[in-house]
Structure formats: C-alpha cells, structure tokens
Amino acid sequence: MKIFVGIDIAKLNHFAAAISSDGEILLEPFKFTNDADGFQLLVSKLESFDKNSIIIGLESTAHYGDNLVRYLVAEFYQVCVLNPIKTCQIRKNNVRKTKTDKVDTFVIAKTLMMQDDLRFITFFDLDMMDLKALGRFRQKTIKQRTRLKIQLTTYVDQWYSRRFNTFSNPVCTSTLSMLC
C-alpha cells in the first residue's frame, strides 16, 4: 500500500495531509512552519508509516518549498514536485470548487496518486537547483552593475559638462581622477 502525502506550500506555514492508495485519509490536514521545527513535526507525523511506501508531493511554488524539499530528500523520502497545472486539473474535477490550504493538500495527494510516472527529486536535482539559483543571481547582478555604470556615467557627464562646458568622454582617466 502506498501513502500519498500532499503538502500545500506557503511562505511561512505549510499544510500537509496523507491518504492511502485506497483513498483512506491517514492524516487529516495539519499546519507546520517553514523551518526546521516545522519540518521535524512533519517527519514525526510520518514516522508511524513505512518510509518506503510514502510518496510526498508539493506544487512548484517559487522558492518557498526549497528548504523543505532539501530536508525531505536528505531524510531519504521520495519527493515529487508537481506542476501546478496538473493539480489545477484535479481541482476543477472536484465537486466543491473551494480552494483552501487544507483542501489543496488532498488535491495534491490525489494528483500524486493519479500520475503514472512520478519523477522524484534527487541530490543531483538539488545541486542543479543551486546552480540555477546562482546563475540567476549572477545575471541579476550583472544587470544591476550595468545599470549603475550607466547612472554613474550620466552623473559624471552632467557634473563634467557643468564645470567645463564640454561633452567629452566622462569616463576617461583624467575625468575620473578629477573626481577623486
């Protein structure tokens, strides 16, 4: 018997619930914090089940679930990050059209249950997530640097033209040495 754990991710608090492959509710939705204490609470609730039969799923939601995913993978749980489009389809099929954190936990768990091929997060995936984050940070930093260079050039150009009534290249060595 498989146990499907659905986790609804948020910035400060997450909700989780578990159902069996038969559809029986094993854990009612409960709230836990997005920190080490909250992660330990989640694991303590899952300890009564066989770890090899547990499949944990959560929606891809920016970076809010990253630390939880890392924690669960390090604890050797099978973790699957779902595309929100898949859970949206299940939610639309639901008789009740409500969307709450508690309801979403079951929607996520049912989405897991209905997937034929689940792709579990590995340590390699975590390394790739880190590399992607570093790459994005580098690109953002380069854009900021470029913007600051343009602003500096504009200010130097304005200062230089007011003082010397000329529009020569403001970033030349002599101009910069006058500013220091």
Side-chain angles (χ1 to χ4, degrees):
M1 173 178 77
K2 292 283 185 193
I3 298 165
F4 299 96
V5 178
I7 301 176
D8 187 54
I9 300 295
K11 182 176 182 177
L12 301 175
N13 297 299
H14 308 315
F15 278 85
I19 58 175
S20 70
S21 51
D22 301 329
E24 176 189 353
I25 296 174
L26 301 174
L27 281 176
E28 289 290 335
F30 64 94
K31 181 164 72 169
F32 63 99
T33 55
N34 189 12
D35 57 20
D37 292 337
F39 302 165
Q40 289 172 357
L41 173 65
L42 171 65
V43 168
S44 72
K45 298 238 184 202
L46 299 177
E47 282 177 347
S48 61
F49 307 117
D50 176 24
K51 190 182 268 191
N52 295 324
S53 65
I54 297 174
I55 298 175
I56 300 173
L58 52 111
E59 288 180 319
S60 175
T61 52
H63 63 278
Y64 295 125
D66 288 355
N67 289 335
L68 176 61
V69 169
R70 289 176 200 291
Y71 181 86
L72 293 171
V73 170
E75 293 290 320
F76 301 105
Y77 283 96
Q78 295 181 82
V79 181
C80 182
V81 177
L82 299 170
N83 186 328
I85 293 172
K86 289 184 179 182
T87 56
C88 184
Q89 291 168 345
I90 301 295
R91 193 175 293 110
K92 285 179 183 176
N93 293 337
N94 208 352
V95 175
R96 293 186 185 132
K97 300 296 182 194
T98 57
K99 184 186 181 328
T100 66
D101 297 332
K102 293 179 180 181
V103 171
D104 276 354
T105 60
F106 289 122
V107 169
I108 293 166
K110 288 176 184 174
T111 303
L112 275 176
M113 193 185 319
M114 298 174 127
Q115 299 301 308
D116 293 329
D117 55 338
L118 292 171
R119 187 181 175 293
F120 300 113
I121 301 296
T122 64
F123 288 108
F124 176 77
D125 295 324
L126 296 177
D127 290 342
M128 292 306 292
M129 286 168 47
D130 287 340
L131 283 173
K132 284 180 184 177
L134 285 171
R136 286 188 206 110
F137 178 73
R138 181 180 182 277
Q139 290 299 320
K140 185 177 177 182
T141 304
I142 288 170
K143 284 182 182 179
Q144 287 174 337
R145 181 187 68 184
T146 302
R147 191 172 3 98
L148 288 171
K149 281 182 176 179
I150 291 169
Q151 285 176 343
L152 177 63
T153 301
T154 302
Y155 293 138
V156 169
D157 192 22
Q158 290 171 353
W159 179 86
Y160 192 79
S161 66
R162 275 189 235 130
R163 303 252 176 324
F164 300 101
N165 227 2
T166 182
F167 289 99
S168 62
N169 185 357
V171 188
C172 69
T173 311
S174 61
T175 304
L176 291 176
S177 66
M178 285 191 302
L179 289 174
C180 298

